[in-house]
């Protein structure tokens, strides 16, 4: 079954062009919404469509911009569709996930999304470094943990009486922080031994 998805950003925008395209493409069921779609929560019909489709269905959209807000959003949606055994066609960009070229285009989009994320992280790191140099960024405040409490939990964990997950929960630490504290403690005790 072909399932169409139509979205316009405002109530005033006309859906006729997209509706005509859905008829032309042979969409048997169409989900339509008038929403900016800034977040997935705003797109209730998109969510309803993702729930509705079944294995063997094909989702059709006029363009990527109608179904997704950005590259990562598109890849997430297509991944959900693929998981259900559903193909995706975007008419404007001529993407069809059944074809090798369609799969290739999604791979390219995936690489672009990864590059975008890395650029954002680089800019964030650069901004933090500049703020540090100006003395405006001190980093996160370290969690204050009672040394005796840590040692007591550490000994129970090291002796195998409790699992790491339990130790982290008792101390209120994430895994990275817990293991960093363990290293610091062990390095410190070796230095004194």
């Amino acid at each position: 079954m072909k399932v169409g998805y139509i979205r316009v950003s405002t109530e005033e925008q006309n859906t006729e062009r997209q509706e005509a395209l859905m008829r032309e493409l042979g969409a048997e069921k169409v989900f339509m919404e008038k929403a900016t779609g800034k977040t997935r929560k705003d797109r209730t019909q998109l969510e309803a469509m993702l729930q509705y489709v079944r294995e063997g269905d094909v989702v059709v959209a006029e363009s990527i911009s109608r179904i997704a807000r950005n590259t990562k959003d598109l890849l997430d949606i297509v991944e959900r569709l693929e998981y259900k055994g559903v193909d995706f066609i975007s008419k404007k960009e001529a993407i069809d996930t059944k074809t090798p070229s369609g799969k290739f285009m999604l791979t390219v989009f995936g690489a672009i999304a990864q590059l975008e994320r890395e650029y954002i992280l680089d800019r964030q790191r650069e901004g933090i470094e500049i703020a540090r140099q100006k003395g405006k960024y001190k980093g996160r405040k370290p969690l204050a943990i009672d040394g005796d409490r840590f040692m007591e939990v550490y000994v129970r964990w090291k002796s195998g009486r409790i699992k790491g997950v339990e130790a982290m929960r008792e101390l209120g630490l994430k895994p990275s922080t817990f293991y960093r504290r363990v290293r610091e403690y062990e390095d410190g005790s070796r230095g004194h031994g």
Side-chain angles (χ1 to χ4, degrees):
M1 172 188 252
K2 276 193 180 171
V3 179
Y5 177 75
I6 293 173
R7 184 181 64 79
V8 290
S9 298
T10 65
E11 284 290 333
E12 295 77 41
Q13 285 183 316
N14 195 313
T15 59
E16 284 177 22
R17 186 175 51 81
Q18 289 183 64
E19 287 180 68
L21 178 65
M22 292 301 134
R23 285 190 295 276
E24 181 187 313
L25 294 173
E28 299 164 57
K29 179 152 180 73
V30 177
F31 290 82
M32 185 188 323
E33 58 197 333
K34 295 183 177 189
T36 59
K38 282 185 181 157
T39 67
R40 190 76 64 85
K41 282 189 314 218
D42 298 338
R43 296 178 283 166
T44 56
Q45 289 301 298
L46 173 65
E47 202 51 49
M49 185 268 298
L50 290 169
Q51 295 290 324
Y52 175 83
V53 291
R54 301 285 177 264
E55 186 173 351
D57 288 348
V58 177
V59 169
V60 292
E62 182 253 345
S63 70
I64 288 170
S65 65
R66 296 299 95 209
I67 201 162
R69 296 302 295 169
N70 54 44
T71 310
K72 184 185 180 315
D73 189 31
L74 172 67
L75 294 171
D76 290 345
I77 290 166
V78 171
E79 188 176 308
R80 278 182 71 182
L81 293 172
E82 283 178 346
Y83 179 76
K84 292 181 88 170
V86 176
D87 288 310
F88 170 68
I89 294 174
S90 172
K91 184 70 173 160
K92 184 176 181 181
E93 293 85 4
I95 291 176
D96 182 343
T97 58
K98 284 184 294 204
T99 67
S101 62
K103 287 183 176 134
F104 171 74
M105 285 301 293
L106 286 174
T107 303
V108 170
F109 285 147
I112 291 168
Q114 181 61 36
L115 190 62
E116 286 170 355
R117 282 191 292 276
E118 287 175 14
Y119 281 155
I120 289 166
L121 290 173
D122 280 348
R123 285 194 300 271
Q124 187 180 33
R125 280 190 286 270
E126 288 167 6
I128 289 169
E129 188 52 41
I130 290 167
R132 253 197 201 113
Q133 289 169 3
K134 291 180 177 178
K136 294 180 180 177
Y137 183 85
K138 308 289 187 223
R140 281 192 256 166
K141 293 190 179 12
L143 280 171
I145 296 174
D146 176 2
D148 293 336
R149 174 86 179 119
F150 178 82
M151 212 164 66
E152 182 259 317
V153 172
Y154 169 83
V155 168
R156 286 178 27 234
W157 169 70
K158 205 67 175 172
S159 66
R161 290 191 308 229
I162 62 170
K163 295 198 178 303
V165 175
E166 293 172 69
M168 289 174 229
R169 189 175 55 240
E170 283 187 37
L171 294 168
L173 297 176
K174 292 180 178 174
S176 56
T177 309
F178 175 72
Y179 290 112
R180 186 178 70 244
R181 292 281 167 95
V182 165
R183 276 193 308 276
E184 289 167 0
Y185 176 74
E186 290 175 347
D187 291 346
S189 58
R190 270 192 221 107
H192 295 99

